[in-house]
Amino acid sequence: MDSSMYREQIIDLYENPLNYGELDPADFSYEEDNPLCGDVIRIDVRLDEQNRVAEVAWSGDGCAISQASASLLTEEIKGLTLDEVKAFPKETLLELIGVQLSMARVKCALLSLKVLKAGAYGLPDPEEIHPGHKE
Amino acid sequence: MDSSMYREQIIDLYENPLNYGELDPADFSYEEDNPLCGDVIRIDVRLDEQNRVAEVAWSGDGCAISQASASLLTEEIKGLTLDEVKAFPKETLLELIGVQLSMARVKCALLSLKVLKAGAYGLPDPEEIHPGHKE
Amino acid sequence: MLDVAKIRADFPILTVESYPDVPLVFLDSAASSQKPTAVLEAMDTYLRTYNANVHRGIYRLSEDATNAYEAARAKVARFINAQDAAEVIFVRNATEGFNLVAYSWGEANISAGDEILLTEMEHHANIVPWQLLAQRKGAVVRYVPFDENGVLDLSNLAELLTERTKIFSFTAVSNVFGTINPVKQLIAAAKAVGAMTMIDAAQAVPHMPIDVQDFDCDFLAFSGHKMCGPTGIGVLYGKRELLEAMPPFMGGGDMIRRVTLEKSTWNDLPWKFEAGTPSIAEGIGLGATVDYLTHVGMAEIHAYEQYLTHYALEALSEVPGLKVWGPPASQKAGVAAFTLEKLHPHDIAELLDKDGIAVRAGHHCAMPLHKKLGLAATTRASFYLYTTPAEIDRLVEGLHRVRQIFRL
Amino acid sequence: MLDVAKIRADFPILTVESYPDVPLVFLDSAASSQKPTAVLEAMDTYLRTYNANVHRGIYRLSEDATNAYEAARAKVARFINAQDAAEVIFVRNATEGFNLVAYSWGEANISAGDEILLTEMEHHANIVPWQLLAQRKGAVVRYVPFDENGVLDLSNLAELLTERTKIFSFTAVSNVFGTINPVKQLIAAAKAVGAMTMIDAAQAVPHMPIDVQDFDCDFLAFSGHKMCGPTGIGVLYGKRELLEAMPPFMGGGDMIRRVTLEKSTWNDLPWKFEAGTPSIAEGIGLGATVDYLTHVGMAEIHAYEQYLTHYALEALSEVPGLKVWGPPASQKAGVAAFTLEKLHPHDIAELLDKDGIAVRAGHHCAMPLHKKLGLAATTRASFYLYTTPAEIDRLVEGLHRVRQIFRL
Ligand SMILES: Cc1ncc(COP(=O)(O)O)c(C=O)c1O
Ligand SMILES: Cc1ncc(COP(=O)(O)O)c(C=O)c1O
């Protein structure tokens, strides 16, 4: 079995996630799920006076890839400005994950970034966009 | 060209149809068309006291096969009883036509028989069955 | 018993390698099956030697194409024992069959307050068209529940199936649990209250003998691609007198008798429901599919799959932490949807794929079923006439390795 | 100019004999075209080496199938210059495209008294769905007439196309007259009164470069099987914002985002409109079709067919008593529908078939057009990139023999 995809780091992060939890209050929070696989990720962010990420936490459920991705992303954005967060390139996150991903799994890997940016841009709760979403 | 299909008899009948015309009054009359090719055939029949076909006429328009078939059929049923008309086998008509017909053309060949039997059975005018039929 | 080695030789894809030196173990036939050479060749011969549009073409190619296409319909009719080939409507897939009935029969027969009865184990194909119909009409959709074994709980059937029920539409075989439902019993219950019946046979027709006259169902739908046949073709069976009375679904060429600027009248069955150029190559391919399955024998296929299912459930029970959902093998078709501790099915499927093992991970288009189980997804292995016990062994070995990688 | 000999070598069927020693002369491409080897092989390779259901399968076969199917969509989008592959909905055929719009857009946007504008030269596919919609809604269908040359008579357009007109749906190319309609002019006129536009491109996309952004049409539909591609696959193009706003047509797997027992929400475009397992092999085949046509060059194909049409009309004019319906060759695509004195088209087609010549006889799914001409049927010869002038000569010789047999 070629398990290079699931290299040690991903399994480690799956077992011991970084920045796992919730922040209340937070400067922005967002939660979204992928109904197709049941992955759900929530990210809470607190900013400092210069609009930099001071504290960040994520919570949720999902596959090893989406979980590891959330750990790596939240670790990486600490200290970035809000504008830098908004512009965070998905390539950077995929590099951080560092394994070859199939098309279907790229979606898992990028769910955390999608949630982060939706929060950073102040998007409305997905419930309003996709009614019946979070029942 | 293998034109055996269109043997002399069929072309002759196409040029000089038998029993062509209308009978008014008639004991039964029926008219139907095949909208797919525009063939239309009307048959009028007068019976004698023993319920045998005394006079028969057909009119209409269509391809050489359907026209020849109407000539051959009307010629053949003279003197038959109403019951014999109702039971007239389509195989007999196909034999009278005497050429090899493809599936699509068998319909042309049998239109006259369909019309004859509908009349013999006293079917309602097709307009009532297929509204918008004869406009 | 089937000669599986001989059967496997009929399926060219089974010699393919998933990755270099990793032979394919295809365990996703419930999603879409593989195709035997006979089916591929039937389509290829049509495309290479007598390809032409069907119906009313007065030249040899078109006549040959029409004959082959209509012969395929007659074969399908015989295969499911329909009384009449005119009761076999060719559609794209089972899904279109449900939509056709929901639009055509539904628009004419469903009113506000009427009830449509389904079950909680249905595929989305047998849920969403009825929900859309119910929304349009103000009707109500109700569901027969299943129990903890994935078996329909009929204890309250009398409350769900009443004279308000206009149609009871349910699956013959669950595509997740594999449950083989008591079709005849349920149809009898529906008839007793005057409800119509529609059977989702997408997972049944490929795997067991099906007789629509014995069922005495009003409608039944299935897909070609799950029964060794082509994509792009499926079947809606309907009783003749019902189909006759129904308005058309789609309008266009071939389904009309006459078109004027003011209005149109309809062709005879089955063409009334087949608008435009049909899936000709695919219809002809489905004819060859039915020939192939008939030649192998549907009873033999069913018996072999029963054996495989027993074998699989026993083998899988050796994987620690693995739970197969659904009833025991004796009540089950060749489908094993399972969970493995808290592992996400995507991770399981991806790791198995590295071993060449193709299984499906997800909700298998049965979200309500999964929601009731408290799961977002399961991993599903499914079997067909070409599956071998050795492939099931490879699945079990693969699952052991998944455990290792996740340090379980 | 095209190298026709080289092109003919791409089409295996062109070496077939209609009858022993009677080579096939295929002049019925407007009904359904022949397929080049590249298309047959693309489908065969899928079926033999990576056949699997698409979307969300996490194993190599399914990923390869999904990639190929979605790549085909992107190719089609580029081929018609759609802004976005999400604007390309795969349907069974052009006919389904019209039905999809008539049901989904129509249900949401048409009310009693609204007008739907068509033309008198439409194919039934672009008439019947609108008649059915109009019946459901109490709307009115109106028609732009054509003149004695088979050209749209626009002199009263301002009375037909008014602010009551909700949609103007018309063909880019008539499948009987061959008339190439002034699409951009008609779209501009529709926009001026705020009407939506839908283009029947079933006879246009196969034969000339088509650019939906240049047209600026709202919807456009065509079929794979008329453009050297497979049966069972066609395309509905729609502007993204319109498709986004439209309710789904058919319900089932793949088109949903989430299904609960109570209700469902929809997937993103284009999948919102593709319910159930799609025509996978056929979609992949359509991708190969577009590659093939692009490689040959649509402008080259159009130019060659213009040449053929001129040639054919001149050659046919030598047959006494023969009348070709429609405009002169300069305004016409490669279609010649004709009558020969009072001979019935069925007789003509049958006799030509004995010479191996495949033409179509009938109303070509355009009954209102024929009725206006006072005809029940015409005989139609139609050309494509593989047609040769020598084949047209054979047609003319055949017609002379038909005259002899009928003693004309
Ligand atoms: C102009 C036109 N529109 C629509 C169609 C319908 O195409 P299909 O039968 O593939 O849906 C055709 C072909 O028959 C056509 O020629
Ligand atoms: C039980 C059941 N019903 C319906 C369907 C829908 O089949 P298709 O996608 O071919 O329309 C499927 C397959 O996905 C199924 O398993």
Side-chain angles (χ1 to χ4, degrees):
Chain A
M1 180 185 280
D2 165 10
S3 53
S4 63
M5 252 213 66
Y6 286 72
R7 54 182 186 129
E8 297 295 305
Q9 186 197 13
I10 287 175
I11 307 289
D12 286 344
L13 288 171
Y14 184 66
E15 287 186 341
N16 303 301
L18 307 174
N19 312 312
Y20 195 88
E22 301 198 8
L23 299 177
D24 188 11
D27 287 301
F28 66 83
S29 300
Y30 200 79
E31 178 176 325
E32 192 167 310
D33 69 343
N34 178 350
L36 302 175
C37 53
D39 287 1
V40 46
I41 295 219
R42 173 193 175 86
I43 296 187
D44 302 308
V45 173
R46 282 186 194 147
L47 302 171
D48 64 14
E49 294 90 66
Q50 296 100 47
N51 250 350
R52 291 183 183 274
V53 174
E55 283 179 84
V56 54
W58 73 273
S59 52
D61 239 330
C63 66
I65 299 290
S66 72
Q67 306 278 289
S69 150
S71 286
L72 292 164
L73 177 66
T74 48
E75 196 63 12
E76 191 71 11
I77 59 166
K78 287 179 186 167
L80 297 191
T81 65
L82 189 56
D83 285 343
E84 285 168 336
V85 165
K86 286 180 182 173
F88 195 93
K90 58 183 179 199
E91 293 71 24
T92 308
L93 179 56
L94 292 175
E95 266 169 44
L96 284 171
I97 298 170
V99 296
Q100 188 67 32
L101 293 175
S102 70
M103 210 172 62
R105 305 310 298 286
V106 165
K107 282 200 187 143
C108 307
L110 295 180
L111 180 59
S112 56
L113 185 59
K114 194 173 160 203
V115 167
L116 175 68
K117 289 196 180 176
Y121 275 98
L123 245 64
D125 188 290
E127 178 64 17
E128 293 166 30
I129 314 175
H130 302 293
H133 185 95
K134 279 198 293 192
E135 77 288 326
Chain B
M1 181 185 280
D2 166 10
S3 53
S4 64
M5 254 213 64
Y6 285 73
R7 55 183 187 127
E8 297 295 306
Q9 185 197 15
I10 286 176
I11 307 289
D12 287 344
L13 288 171
Y14 184 66
E15 289 187 339
N16 302 301
L18 308 173
N19 312 311
Y20 195 88
E22 300 200 7
L23 300 176
D24 187 12
D27 287 303
F28 63 85
S29 299
Y30 200 78
E31 177 176 327
E32 191 166 312
D33 68 343
N34 178 350
L36 300 176
C37 53
D39 287 1
V40 46
I41 296 222
R42 173 192 175 86
I43 296 186
D44 301 309
V45 173
R46 282 186 194 146
L47 303 171
D48 63 15
E49 294 91 65
Q50 295 103 47
N51 251 348
R52 289 180 185 277
V53 175
E55 284 178 86
V56 54
W58 73 273
S59 53
D61 239 331
C63 65
I65 300 289
S66 73
Q67 305 278 289
S69 149
S71 286
L72 293 164
L73 176 66
T74 48
E75 197 63 11
E76 191 71 12
I77 60 167
K78 288 178 186 167
L80 296 192
T81 65
L82 189 57
D83 284 345
E84 285 167 335
V85 166
K86 286 182 183 173
F88 196 93
K90 58 182 181 199
E91 292 71 24
T92 309
L93 179 56
L94 292 175
E95 266 168 42
L96 284 170
I97 298 170
V99 294
Q100 188 66 31
L101 293 175
S102 69
M103 209 173 63
R105 304 310 297 287
V106 165
K107 283 201 186 142
C108 308
L110 296 179
L111 179 59
S112 57
L113 185 59
K114 196 173 158 203
V115 166
L116 175 70
K117 289 196 179 175
Y121 275 99
L123 244 63
D125 189 289
E127 178 64 18
E128 293 167 30
I129 313 173
H130 301 294
H133 186 93
K134 277 198 294 193
E135 78 290 325
Chain C
M1 191 70 121
L2 289 187
D3 181 346
V4 189
K6 201 160 143 268
I7 280 174
R8 287 179 68 87
D10 296 334
F11 291 80
I13 207 171
L14 296 179
T15 58
V16 155
E17 294 184 336
S18 279
Y19 300 97
D21 295 324
V22 181
L24 171 65
V25 174
F26 186 76
L27 298 176
D28 194 23
S29 291
S32 199
S33 70
Q34 298 304 337
K35 330 292 179 207
T37 307
V39 170
L40 304 179
E41 283 180 354
M43 293 197 283
D44 208 54
T45 302
Y46 161 70
L47 291 167
R48 282 172 197 266
T49 68
Y50 64 102
N51 174 76
N53 212 330
V54 292
H55 300 142
R56 292 185 298 289
I58 306 191
Y59 55 88
R60 192 189 64 78
L61 256 53
S62 177
E63 279 164 10
D64 289 353
T66 305
N67 288 341
Y69 181 73
E70 294 301 334
R73 193 194 306 280
K75 286 174 188 181
V76 170
R78 242 174 289 131
F79 189 64
I80 59 171
N81 196 30
Q83 235 168 24
D84 188 338
E87 298 177 323
V88 169
I89 316 288
F90 281 142
V91 288
R92 176 172 32 241
N93 48 26
T95 300
E96 189 180 6
F98 290 100
N99 283 280
L100 195 164
V101 175
Y103 272 106
S104 169
W105 178 87
E107 284 295 322
N109 291 280
I110 295 290
S111 321
D114 284 348
E115 291 183 8
I116 296 162
L117 185 60
L118 312 174
T119 86
E120 286 179 350
M121 64 169 74
E122 297 309 316
H123 186 281
H124 297 162
N126 193 24
I127 299 176
V128 183
W130 304 115
Q131 287 183 340
L132 291 170
L133 171 64
Q135 262 169 39
R136 290 195 299 271
K137 295 292 184 176
V140 178
V141 181
R142 305 187 72 182
Y143 300 87
V144 178
F146 58 78
D147 66 16
E148 65 286 356
N149 290 319
V151 172
L152 289 179
D153 173 1
L154 303 178
S155 54
N156 292 318
L157 190 62
E159 282 159 38
L160 290 164
L161 185 60
T162 68
E163 63 301 333
R164 284 186 309 278
T165 311
K166 288 291 169 297
I167 189 164
F168 182 17
S169 184
F170 60 92
T171 195
V173 174
S174 158
N175 69 323
V176 181
F177 295 135
T179 320
I180 301 175
N181 284 323
V183 173
K184 288 180 72 169
Q185 178 191 343
L186 296 176
I187 289 176
K191 279 190 195 307
V193 298
M196 308 286 290
T197 50
M198 177 156 192
I199 309 301
D200 181 348
Q203 299 293 349
V205 165
H207 300 287
M208 57 194 70
I210 292 295
D211 180 332
V212 292
Q213 292 189 63
D214 184 46
F215 277 174
D216 200 17
C217 52
D218 294 309
F219 302 106
L220 178 143
F222 56 99
S223 296
H225 69 94
K226 290 188 203 281
M227 58 190 281
C228 299
T231 50
I233 191 91
V235 171
L236 171 66
Y237 160 83
K239 279 187 182 163
R240 185 170 194 130
E241 63 275 19
L242 293 171
L243 295 174
E244 298 270 17
M246 279 156 58
F249 173 34
M250 296 204 213
D254 240 34
M255 56 71 71
I256 57 94
R257 180 174 170 80
R258 189 183 307 265
V259 174
T260 71
L261 295 180
E262 293 74 34
K263 66 168 177 177
S264 306
T265 52
W266 318 128
N267 199 346
D268 296 331
L269 289 176
W271 307 289
K272 179 169 92 176
F273 290 107
E274 294 181 10
T277 303
S279 295
I280 306 171
E282 296 70 22
I284 291 171
L286 189 61
T289 305
V290 160
D291 286 342
Y292 179 80
L293 292 176
T294 306
H295 177 76
V296 177
M298 289 311 298
E300 286 70 21
I301 292 173
H302 185 52
Y304 178 64
E305 289 181 26
Q306 291 286 104
Y307 157 73
L308 276 182
T309 306
H310 277 90
Y311 185 92
L313 264 51
E314 209 167 290
L316 287 167
S317 73
E318 286 160 23
V319 181
L322 187 144
K323 172 173 171 59
V324 176
W325 298 85
S330 58
Q331 298 169 52
K332 199 174 166 101
V335 171
F338 59 84
T339 45
L340 180 51
E341 301 201 3
K342 294 254 156 280
L343 293 189
H344 195 289
H346 279 191
D347 294 322
I348 298 173
E350 178 120 28
L351 289 170
L352 289 175
D353 175 56
K354 296 290 176 285
D355 270 356
I357 303 162
V359 296
R360 193 145 285 242
H363 53 57
H364 318 303
C365 298
M367 286 182 102
L369 178 157
H370 281 83
K371 187 176 178 196
K372 175 159 175 170
L373 300 180
L375 300 169
T378 53
T379 307
R380 182 183 72 181
S382 54
F383 320 127
Y384 208 177
L385 71 166
Y386 42 69
T387 307
T388 64
E391 291 181 312
I392 291 167
D393 294 343
R394 293 238 345 245
L395 169 66
V396 170
E397 287 160 31
L399 288 168
H400 280 296
R401 270 192 297 261
V402 170
R403 288 184 54 88
Q404 274 165 25
I405 291 168
F406 273 95
R407 304 167 192 161
L408 297 178
Chain D
M1 192 70 122
L2 289 187
D3 181 347
V4 188
K6 202 162 141 262
I7 281 174
R8 287 177 70 85
D10 296 335
F11 290 80
I13 207 170
L14 296 179
T15 58
V16 156
E17 294 182 337
S18 279
Y19 299 98
D21 295 325
V22 182
L24 170 66
V25 175
F26 186 76
L27 298 177
D28 194 24
S29 291
S32 199
S33 70
Q34 299 304 338
K35 330 292 178 208
T37 308
V39 170
L40 304 180
E41 284 181 353
M43 293 196 283
D44 208 54
T45 303
Y46 161 70
L47 291 166
R48 283 174 196 266
T49 68
Y50 64 102
N51 173 77
N53 212 329
V54 292
H55 300 143
R56 294 184 299 286
I58 305 191
Y59 55 89
R60 192 189 65 78
L61 257 52
S62 177
E63 280 164 9
D64 289 353
T66 305
N67 289 340
Y69 181 73
E70 294 301 336
R73 192 193 307 278
K75 287 173 188 181
V76 171
R78 241 174 290 132
F79 189 63
I80 59 170
N81 196 30
Q83 235 169 27
D84 187 339
E87 297 178 322
V88 169
I89 315 288
F90 281 142
V91 288
R92 176 171 34 243
N93 47 26
T95 301
E96 189 181 6
F98 290 100
N99 284 279
L100 195 164
V101 175
Y103 271 106
S104 169
W105 178 86
E107 284 295 324
N109 290 281
I110 295 289
S111 320
D114 284 347
E115 291 183 8
I116 296 162
L117 185 61
L118 312 175
T119 86
E120 286 179 351
M121 65 169 74
E122 296 309 315
H123 186 281
H124 297 162
N126 193 24
I127 299 176
V128 183
W130 304 116
Q131 288 182 340
L132 291 171
L133 171 64
Q135 262 170 39
R136 291 195 299 271
K137 295 293 183 175
V140 178
V141 181
R142 305 187 72 183
Y143 300 87
V144 179
F146 58 78
D147 66 18
E148 65 285 357
N149 291 320
V151 172
L152 289 180
D153 172 1
L154 303 178
S155 53
N156 292 319
L157 189 62
E159 282 160 38
L160 289 164
L161 185 60
T162 67
E163 61 302 334
R164 286 188 307 280
T165 312
K166 288 291 170 296
I167 189 165
F168 182 16
S169 185
F170 61 92
T171 194
V173 174
S174 158
N175 69 322
V176 181
F177 295 135
T179 321
I180 300 176
N181 284 322
V183 174
K184 288 180 73 169
Q185 177 191 344
L186 296 175
I187 289 176
K191 278 191 195 305
V193 299
M196 307 286 291
T197 50
M198 179 157 189
I199 308 302
D200 181 349
Q203 298 293 350
V205 165
H207 300 288
M208 56 194 69
I210 292 294
D211 180 332
V212 292
Q213 292 190 62
D214 183 47
F215 277 174
D216 201 17
C217 53
D218 295 308
F219 302 106
L220 179 144
F222 57 99
S223 296
H225 68 94
K226 290 188 203 282
M227 57 190 280
C228 300
T231 51
I233 190 92
V235 171
L236 170 67
Y237 159 83
K239 279 188 183 163
R240 186 172 191 129
E241 63 275 20
L242 293 171
L243 294 173
E244 297 270 16
M246 280 155 58
F249 173 36
M250 296 205 213
D254 240 31
M255 56 69 73
I256 57 95
R257 179 173 171 82
R258 189 185 306 266
V259 174
T260 70
L261 295 181
E262 293 75 32
K263 66 170 176 173
S264 304
T265 51
W266 318 127
N267 199 346
D268 295 331
L269 290 177
W271 307 289
K272 179 169 94 177
F273 291 107
E274 295 181 10
T277 303
S279 294
I280 306 171
E282 296 71 22
I284 291 171
L286 188 60
T289 305
V290 160
D291 286 342
Y292 180 79
L293 292 176
T294 305
H295 176 75
V296 176
M298 290 309 300
E300 285 69 22
I301 292 173
H302 184 53
Y304 179 65
E305 288 180 27
Q306 291 287 103
Y307 158 73
L308 277 182
T309 306
H310 278 90
Y311 185 93
L313 263 51
E314 209 166 290
L316 287 167
S317 72
E318 286 160 23
V319 181
L322 186 143
K323 172 174 172 56
V324 177
W325 298 85
S330 58
Q331 299 167 51
K332 200 173 165 101
V335 171
F338 59 85
T339 44
L340 179 51
E341 301 200 4
K342 293 254 157 282
L343 294 189
H344 195 289
H346 279 191
D347 293 322
I348 298 173
E350 178 120 26
L351 288 171
L352 289 175
D353 176 55
K354 296 291 176 281
D355 270 355
I357 303 163
V359 295
R360 191 145 289 242
H363 53 57
H364 318 302
C365 298
M367 287 182 101
L369 178 157
H370 281 83
K371 188 175 178 198
K372 175 158 176 171
L373 301 180
L375 301 170
T378 52
T379 308
R380 182 183 72 183
S382 55
F383 320 127
Y384 208 179
L385 72 167
Y386 41 69
T387 307
T388 65
E391 290 181 312
I392 292 167
D393 293 343
R394 295 241 342 248
L395 169 65
V396 170
E397 288 160 31
L399 289 167
H400 281 295
R401 271 192 298 262
V402 170
R403 288 184 56 87
Q404 275 164 25
I405 292 168
F406 273 94
R407 304 166 191 161
L408 297 179

